Amino acid sequence: KAGVTQTPRYLIKTRGQQVTLSCSPISGHRSVSWYQQTPGQGLQFLFEYFSETQRNKGNFPGRFSGRQFSNSRSEMNVSTLELGDSALYLCASRPTPADRVEQYFGPGTRLTVT
Amino acid sequence: GDSVTQMEGPVTLSEEAFLTINCTYTATGYPSLFWYVQYPGEGLQLLLKATKADDKGSNKGFEATYRKETTSFHLEKGSVQVSDSAVYFCALSDQGFQKLVFGTGTRLLVSP
């Protein structure tokens, strides 16, 4: 079974631009979560989507948004990029939010804002 | 809110040495506990987990025991290898499985 895939793997953007990152979960997994990893703040939860609905949201500004499609693929969008948005963005999937099992992580998208 | 504290790194060891990485947590109720590992340039891989008190998670020679009385989940390995060099993250998932809360990570460097 294929793992979680994220595209693109690397991205360079300029301050003020917007960016869209994509995540395809493991086949059969309907819950997708996003995390931001930075050297200063570590790993922080952004949001989780299940059945095309945002189920839970972390403490991030409204510039960070996401969505989930009927095939469970998810995208996250960051508008009006700031230098501090430079980070590794990780996507994780699990069958459903109620599953008491681990989340499976993708390789991440490395975003650099200049 | 929930939080995880793990020891600062880097931890530098020689091959075949004994490894301990300390992890303590603060949470209400009964969280599930995890250790994830991140190799350079990669995402997170689950190393082991424990879902209730006194459970012992184990994988690839690594072990950790869920200690509710000391709110700890220390990672141990009897004999490390160079290939174990990576960053290790302790994490918890609250009772409602809302999200993972991670520690700051501990970098392990193993020399031949």
Side-chain angles (χ1 to χ4, degrees), chain A residues 31-42:
Chain A
S31 167
V32 174
S33 296
W34 289 88
Y35 291 82
Q36 181 196 63
Q37 184 178 20
T38 60
Q41 299 299 315

Side-chain angles (χ1 to χ4, degrees), chain A residues 27-105:
Chain A
S27 178
H29 286 192
R30 293 160 56 204
S31 167
V32 174
S33 296
W34 289 88
Y35 291 82
Q36 181 196 63
Q37 184 178 20
T38 60
Q41 299 299 315
L43 279 151
Q44 293 186 286
F45 171 76
L46 279 156
F47 28 64
E48 180 182 20
Y49 284 86
F50 174 66
S51 293
E52 303 176 62
T53 302
Q54 188 180 87
R55 178 177 179 264
N56 197 9
K57 188 178 191 315
N59 189 24
F60 278 83
R63 300 185 297 107
F64 291 82
S65 62
R67 61 177 175 169
Q68 187 179 35
F69 301 94
S70 59
N71 62 357
S72 297
R73 189 177 69 87
S74 177
E75 290 181 346
M76 68 162 282
N77 183 277
V78 188
S79 62
T80 319
L81 284 165
E82 301 177 359
L83 295 178
D85 297 333
S86 294
L88 180 67
Y89 289 88
L90 293 164
C91 164
S93 77
R94 53 180 168 169
T96 73
D99 282 290
R100 200 185 178 101
V101 294
E102 63 269 23
Q103 297 190 39
Y104 295 85
F105 283 82

Side-chain angles (χ1 to χ4, degrees), chain A residues 9-10 33 35 37 42-45 48 55-56 88 90 94 97-108, chain B residues 30-32 34 36 38 41-46 49 51-52 89 93 95-100 102-104:
Chain A
R9 291 291 311 274
Y10 302 91
S33 296
Y35 291 82
Q37 184 178 20
L43 279 151
Q44 293 186 286
F45 171 76
E48 180 182 20
R55 178 177 179 264
N56 197 9
L88 180 67
L90 293 164
R94 53 180 168 169
D99 282 290
R100 200 185 178 101
V101 294
E102 63 269 23
Q103 297 190 39
Y104 295 85
F105 283 82
Chain B
Y30 302 92
S32 295
F34 306 86
Y36 281 86
Q38 186 174 38
E42 298 184 13
L44 299 175
Q45 298 176 25
L46 179 71
K49 67 177 180 181
T51 57
K52 61 182 187 296
F89 291 91
S93 176
Q95 243 178 308
F97 315 119
Q98 298 287 331
K99 63 183 180 189
L100 289 169
F102 288 89
T104 52

Side-chain angles (χ1 to χ4, degrees), chain B residues 17-40:
Chain B
F18 184 85
L19 168 71
T20 299
I21 300 178
N22 291 335
C23 171
T24 58
Y25 67 90
T26 301
T28 54
Y30 302 92
S32 295
L33 301 174
F34 306 86
W35 278 100
Y36 281 86
V37 59
Q38 186 174 38
Y39 297 100

